[in-house]
Amino acid sequence: MTSDDAVLPAGLPRQHAPENLLQQYGCGPIKFNGSNNALYERHLLFDNALAPSEAGNRERYEAAARSVRDILSQRWQQTEQVYSRENPKRIYYLSMEFLIGRSLSNNILNLRLEPLVGQFLKENQLDEWAILAEEPDAGLGNGGLGRLAACFLDSMASMQLPGMGYGLRYEYGIFKQTIVDGWQQEQPDNWLRRPDPWEVARPQYAVAVELGCSFEVRGGSLKAITGKPSKLLGIPYDRPIVGYGGKTINTLRLWASATPDSFDFQEFSAGEFVGALAECLTAETVTRVLYPDDSTSMGQGLRFVQEYFLVACSLADLIRRFRMNDSNWNSLPDKVAIQLNDTHPSLAVAELMRVLLDHAGLGWELAWDITNRTFAYTNHTLLPEALEKWPLQWFELMLPRQLQIILEIDRRLREEVAARWPDDTSRAERMSIVEHGGRLVRMAHLAIVGSHSTNGVAAIHSRLLRDVTVRDLAELYPERFNNKTNGVTPRRWLLLSNPGLASCITNAIGDRWITKTDDLQRLKPLADDGEFIAAVRGAKRQAKLRFTEWLKSQGGIQVDPDTIFDCQIKRIHEYKRQLLNGLRIAALYNRLRESPHSDMPSRTFFFAGKAAPAYHVAKFIIKFLNNLADTIDGDPVARGRLRVVFLPEYSVSMAERLIPASDVSNQISTAGYEASGTSNMKFMMNGALTLGTRDGATIEMAEAAGEENFFLFGLTAEQIAASQGWYSPWWHYENEPETHAVIDLILSGHFSRHEPMLVDALRNILLAGGDTYRHLADFVSYMEADLRLQSLYAKPEDWTRKAVLNLASSGRFSSDRTISEYASEIWNAKPCPVL
């Protein structure tokens, strides 16, 4: 921002802002500035026993974060007091992931404390970026699912909706990714190794979670013991979720697992040290790591326990809060909306029924009606492997009462189906919650049957979900299915991440766009304004320089900011088709080898993302991309013209720097496989142009901005579906010259010398295995779209004009709009202002 007025809370006179601002947050006369650093110095002294001159950057970060937390704490407490007094309908968002990123800079922004903090840093000669870099990215998520949940919490707080997130306090994130000889290596992500200044432990609200078995150490292994129930203890840790302007501060409550008793003292005294600690070790393991390796039954079992632990703790907590103000169970759906973020928390349906039947003493019909009207379910995927199915025997072992309830839900569902379609005997089996052939419980079916709303996250995804994936259930409950296209928060992904571009926008149309993103439409006429176009180009240049400087300081990697920054950053998966991007780069490289003096523009291709530890094909793709990078770097013909960079340890913090710097966003998933995508929205909001397929939310984004302002290519979802059964990648290999040449180059080992295993893996993915994700079917179309991209980039003003039109159309893809639709159409929840 270029003016002080743009960053100060509305209604505050600029000359009195610092003092009044702190009083607003309950800090009285304390001044957070260079002459009186009471908050900051107090934390250095009393938390670390250090004088300011003795503090390192880590201690400075902790003191700064705790100072900001002091400023917001009274407002945080006041928010909860208002909710308790006004008793509004409250929204509870259950998610196994919350990819929240770093909190210090985001909280300073949303509290609008930048003038005060900037003054403080300047007067104390502190390095802002060195201090911010000390905060680890919270290891609470992996990809779009968790980042969406974080954006939703931001929007709820900014819109003054009484919302609360529930998740797990993973001691370790998914893993830290390093690249060794081109291969992904995983190390523990101990993000909680140092104290987290944002979290507040609430042991007084601990929840006991009962399991139908216990665990003992036998023969060096942990064994489940049937007939001997056990308990886990859920300890809540709260984190503030600051709405923009600091008016509402909601809560993200994370559960850590423990055991009611630390260990068996008698067994320990007798020398059975490991056995005495078995129960303690089991309890702590539940929230030890995000996404345990699911290639083993033990890893899958731990995931099952994690999901129930989240559900049991969260329901007990929100019911306690509900019962403080309401004694009538019938009013639960009027006061509580529970959103299940994907299938992971689906056990909540059976758990709430258990509470209503066994503790509230309600009859089945009433309990089921309350349950159904309380829950809503968001589906995030059409991939069969992500629609969880858990073995019936695990329920028998650990959750026998919940299994009884699930079987009764299933029996009643079958009766309903048989009454509706008496002559269709196979329909009930397809719709059943219990898949009898494999004795599995279909968790997505449980969530759909047990909730009043099921939504997809983009128009095409919602249609495919309804018409294909769960068609039978949609025919039974058509009124329950709806679409809520995802969105991202403009506060973090534009205002915070891209201050240069944000300043351009504010200077042109004012700052209302920060919370009213429809205002961005007012930029459309400026797409033909030379002065504005020049300002936007300057902001992009600034973002590219900022990123290249950061990249050099972080890993010693030097890239040319004058090249096209062409990005694909997301979880590594075959359907997201990083390999197709690799084929494109190999083809461009081959063209340069054949025509070294061509006028091909210079480009830097950035990849980032993690492969699941047991997903070996995804790891082969990472290896190929790194080999591609090394080969091109070592060839004098391509050096300086093409560059491939795989950035390890992709995170929110990295995305905040790379997305604003990017010129091109690759959204190239196989049509019909991507539920929505949210990185595509972040790129669009930062003025990058999309090179993509008609998949997920990209379709709606292209409709909003005009397809002429996108580089679209490839088969549609309908064409992909129609090709099942007859598609052959060999036809493309044999009939398309450039496809043939690129595949031959790859399979010759040119990029994988002395690595036959990698060559065989690529041959299987692309040819021998049938090319499941249609890389070769879309390759020629991809290359044609790439030529259009190159041609446009040679005309800087025309390129920037399209970038402005994309930016101006990105307001619809704000999470504020998405949450507004959830609140009015699913939750029936209204704002509860904290005055």
Side-chain angles (χ1 to χ4, degrees):
M1 299 239 178
T2 57
S3 70
D4 291 338
D5 290 329
V7 295
L8 295 177
L12 287 181
R14 181 164 52 180
Q15 64 269 30
H16 299 301
E19 292 81 358
N20 289 350
L21 183 61
L22 291 171
Q23 289 170 10
Q24 173 185 335
Y25 296 119
C27 294
I30 296 176
K31 296 181 180 179
F32 192 58
N33 58 37
S35 60
N36 185 2
N37 301 321
L39 291 174
Y40 175 76
E41 292 184 4
R42 183 190 70 194
H43 281 296
L44 281 179
L45 177 61
F46 291 108
D47 296 343
N48 298 97
L50 288 173
S53 60
E54 299 173 309
N57 283 330
R58 173 66 198 190
E59 291 77 22
R60 291 170 183 148
Y61 156 69
E62 290 182 14
R66 290 193 174 104
S67 299
V68 172
R69 202 185 85 180
D70 286 349
I71 291 173
L72 64 83
S73 289
Q74 185 170 336
R75 195 69 178 181
W76 190 11
Q77 184 185 45
Q78 188 178 359
T79 299
E80 187 59 38
Q81 289 173 343
V82 169
Y83 292 165
S84 181
R85 183 181 69 244
E86 298 297 325
N87 193 23
K89 185 170 187 179
R90 299 181 68 161
I91 306 151
Y92 297 101
Y93 199 81
L94 271 64
S95 179
M96 290 292 283
E97 293 188 42
F98 287 95
L99 198 58
I100 57 177
R102 290 171 174 163
S103 295
L104 178 56
S105 56
N106 194 69
N107 288 344
I108 289 171
L109 176 85
N110 279 1
L111 289 169
R112 306 177 87 171
L113 291 172
E114 302 103 308
L116 302 174
V117 174
Q119 176 187 351
F120 165 78
L121 292 170
K122 182 179 179 181
E123 294 188 4
N124 287 273
Q125 298 182 325
L126 296 176
D127 185 337
E128 175 185 3
W129 298 115
I131 293 173
L132 293 176
E134 288 295 322
E135 180 175 8
D137 277 56
L140 301 171
N142 178 36
L145 180 79
R147 185 52 233 172
L148 179 80
C151 284
F152 278 7
L153 293 187
D154 176 279
S155 287
M156 280 187 252
S158 296
M159 298 166 70
Q160 298 190 287
L161 285 166
M164 185 172 187
Y166 280 119
L168 296 182
R169 182 180 179 266
Y170 302 105
E171 184 178 344
Y172 295 85
I174 182 169
F175 57 81
K176 276 196 175 297
Q177 180 193 54
T178 57
I179 302 298
V180 178
D181 192 26
W183 293 98
Q184 172 180 289
Q185 301 291 324
E186 302 98 21
Q187 284 85 36
D189 175 21
N190 189 5
W191 72 281
L192 284 173
R193 180 175 57 88
R194 301 288 294 268
D196 184 349
W198 299 109
E199 67 177 17
V200 179
R202 309 284 194 193
Q204 68 272 31
Y205 297 128
V207 172
V209 177
E210 296 184 359
L211 297 176
C213 64
S214 59
F215 298 89
E216 294 181 3
V217 175
R218 292 183 179 177
S221 299
L222 205 62
K223 303 292 184 182
I225 309 301
T226 59
K228 185 180 177 184
S230 63
K231 287 185 179 180
L232 299 174
L233 204 60
I235 310 296
Y237 288 79
D238 290 352
R239 303 177 69 90
I241 304 297
V242 182
Y244 186 70
K247 295 178 180 179
T248 292
I249 300 179
N250 284 335
T251 298
L252 170 59
R253 177 158 287 184
L254 304 173
W255 298 99
S257 59
T259 182
D261 299 307
S262 297
F263 61 91
D264 186 321
F265 186 79
Q266 298 300 324
E267 194 172 3
F268 187 87
S269 298
E272 296 291 335
F273 304 128
V274 175
L277 291 167
E279 192 172 345
C280 179
L281 292 171
T282 304
E284 293 176 354
T285 297
V286 172
T287 52
R288 183 82 70 191
V289 66
L290 169 67
Y291 291 144
D293 186 347
D294 61 2
S295 63
T296 67
S297 60
M298 287 186 66
Q300 295 167 10
L302 176 55
R303 183 67 171 169
F304 177 74
V305 174
Q306 283 182 333
E307 292 180 359
Y308 178 64
F309 182 74
L310 167 65
V311 159
C313 290
S314 303
L315 286 183
D317 191 61
L318 68 88
I319 287 172
R320 172 190 60 78
R321 194 173 294 107
F322 163 74
R323 297 287 284 173
M324 288 171 62
N325 290 303
D326 297 273
S327 59
N328 185 355
W329 286 100
N330 290 317
S331 64
L332 184 67
D334 300 320
K335 292 298 181 181
V336 170
I338 304 174
Q339 190 70 37
L340 306 176
N341 192 30
D342 217 2
T343 58
H344 311 129
S346 298
L347 275 167
V349 173
E351 179 66 6
L352 182 56
M353 282 295 290
R354 183 189 69 81
V355 171
L356 296 176
L357 293 171
D358 298 352
H359 294 277
L362 304 184
W364 182 277
E365 299 295 344
L366 179 55
W368 184 245
D369 177 66
I370 291 172
T371 297
N372 196 257
R373 290 192 293 123
T374 300
F375 284 114
Y377 163 58
T378 299
N379 174 278
H380 282 278
T381 183
L382 302 172
L383 295 175
E385 64 266 26
L387 296 173
E388 293 176 316
K389 301 177 184 180
W390 293 125
L392 213 68
Q393 65 186 38
W394 290 359
F395 286 88
E396 293 171 340
L397 178 66
M398 288 181 271
L399 304 174
R401 177 55 177 150
Q402 288 81 354
L403 177 59
Q404 290 177 343
I405 291 168
I406 290 171
L407 293 176
E408 179 60 16
I409 296 170
D410 188 55
R411 185 189 69 78
R412 290 170 179 253
L413 172 64
R414 285 173 169 270
E415 284 185 353
E416 186 177 2
V417 173
R420 177 87 175 270
W421 293 281
D423 299 324
D424 191 346
T425 56
S426 63
R427 184 181 289 262
E429 184 60 38
R430 295 196 306 268
M431 296 172 67
S432 173
I433 295 169
V434 179
E435 189 177 270
H436 285 285
R439 287 179 57 81
L440 298 171
V441 178
R442 295 166 167 151
M443 303 310 294
H445 287 213
L446 178 62
I448 293 168
V449 173
S451 61
H452 68 275
S453 169
T454 294
N455 71 279
V457 291
I460 184 176
H461 168 242
S462 296
R463 176 173 58 79
L464 292 172
L465 177 69
R466 184 184 62 246
D467 296 347
V468 179
T469 309
V470 290
R471 178 177 177 178
D472 295 314
L473 286 168
E475 289 178 353
L476 181 61
Y477 305 120
E479 73 286 352
R480 298 186 186 182
F481 284 77
N482 61 93
N483 175 61
K484 297 290 174 283
T485 298
N486 283 342
V488 300
T489 170
R491 268 81 60 184
R492 182 180 284 269
W493 293 109
L494 181 49
L495 184 61
L496 176 65
S497 302
N498 201 342
L501 183 58
S503 180
C504 287
I505 297 168
T506 298
N507 289 339
I509 61 173
D511 65 358
R512 227 176 68 107
W513 65 270
I514 298 169
T515 54
K516 306 292 182 185
T517 51
D518 285 347
D519 267 24
L520 292 174
Q521 291 279 351
R522 294 169 56 197
L523 295 173
K524 284 191 174 181
L526 298 179
D528 296 310
D529 183 299
E531 185 177 345
F532 186 71
I533 289 288
V536 170
R537 288 188 64 78
K540 178 63 70 174
R541 176 71 178 175
Q542 177 185 340
K544 293 177 86 165
L545 290 173
R546 178 171 170 252
F547 173 72
T548 55
E549 290 168 5
W550 173 82
L551 189 60
K552 182 179 178 181
S553 68
Q554 289 296 108
I557 301 173
Q558 289 186 273
V559 296
D560 183 356
D562 291 321
T563 61
I564 301 174
F565 280 11
D566 190 315
C567 294
Q568 188 178 14
I569 50 175
K570 52 186 75 243
R571 181 168 53 94
I572 309 297
H573 196 290
E574 288 170 275
Y575 89 81
K576 293 181 182 289
R577 298 201 297 190
Q578 286 90 353
L579 182 54
L580 176 59
N581 198 347
L583 294 179
R584 174 181 63 135
I585 297 167
L588 295 173
Y589 166 67
N590 215 22
R591 289 177 186 177
L592 272 182
R593 294 170 71 216
E594 294 174 355
S595 304
H597 302 296
S598 68
D599 60 355
M600 183 186 299
S602 298
R603 252 191 284 191
T604 303
F605 299 92
F606 291 101
F607 292 89
K610 296 180 180 181
Y615 193 178
H616 298 296
V617 171
K619 289 185 170 182
F620 279 123
I621 292 171
I622 291 175
K623 172 61 173 171
F624 171 67
L625 294 174
N626 280 294
N627 282 10
L628 193 63
D630 291 343
T631 303
I632 292 174
D633 228 23
D635 191 327
V637 171
R639 191 183 305 124
R641 305 282 302 278
L642 299 177
R643 178 87 184 275
V644 179
V645 179
F646 190 97
L647 299 169
E649 192 55 20
Y650 181 47
S651 64
V652 173
S653 298
M654 181 189 292
E656 288 172 354
R657 294 176 179 274
L658 178 53
I659 289 174
S662 299
D663 298 300
V664 179
S665 163
N666 281 266
Q667 306 294 333
I668 59 175
S669 54
T670 311
Y673 282 82
E674 185 71 85
S676 176
T678 48
S679 70
N680 48 7
M681 301 169 186
K682 296 162 195 166
F683 280 106
M684 183 189 198
M685 198 172 277
N686 281 273
L689 298 189
T690 300
L691 176 59
T693 52
R694 291 174 173 84
D695 196 26
T698 299
I699 297 172
E700 295 162 69
M701 292 162 54
E703 289 173 353
E707 287 200 1
E708 67 277 10
N709 297 309
F710 274 55
F711 304 105
L712 298 179
F713 71 91
L715 300 176
T716 65
E718 290 76 15
Q719 290 169 326
I720 294 287
S723 71
Q724 302 295 333
W726 61 262
Y727 171 74
S728 171
W730 292 99
W731 185 93
H732 297 281
Y733 174 70
E734 292 165 357
N735 291 278
E736 296 167 353
E738 188 162 42
T739 303
H740 194 289
V742 168
I743 294 297
D744 280 355
L745 185 65
I746 291 171
L747 299 186
S748 72
H750 185 80
F751 303 107
S752 311
R753 302 189 189 284
H754 312 299
E755 295 178 309
M757 181 175 64
L758 178 58
V759 172
D760 289 344
L762 296 173
R763 180 185 292 108
N764 188 64
I765 296 169
L766 295 171
L767 292 171
D771 189 20
T772 303
Y773 296 101
R774 305 298 190 263
H775 297 80
L776 300 192
D778 280 352
F779 174 68
V780 169
S781 180
Y782 189 25
M783 298 306 299
E784 291 170 350
D786 188 83
L787 277 177
R788 299 197 301 273
L789 182 156
Q790 293 182 47
S791 176
L792 182 67
Y793 197 79
K795 306 168 185 175
E797 289 194 1
D798 290 349
W799 179 280
T800 308
R801 181 180 183 277
K802 290 183 182 292
V804 170
L805 291 172
N806 270 266
L807 168 59
S809 304
S810 67
R812 167 163 173 72
F813 305 100
S814 162
S815 51
D816 293 356
R817 185 270 312 157
T818 312
I819 288 299
S820 177
E821 292 179 0
Y822 272 97
S824 62
E825 299 171 18
I826 296 178
W827 301 331
N828 191 28
K830 294 178 173 56
C832 182
V834 182
L835 302 177

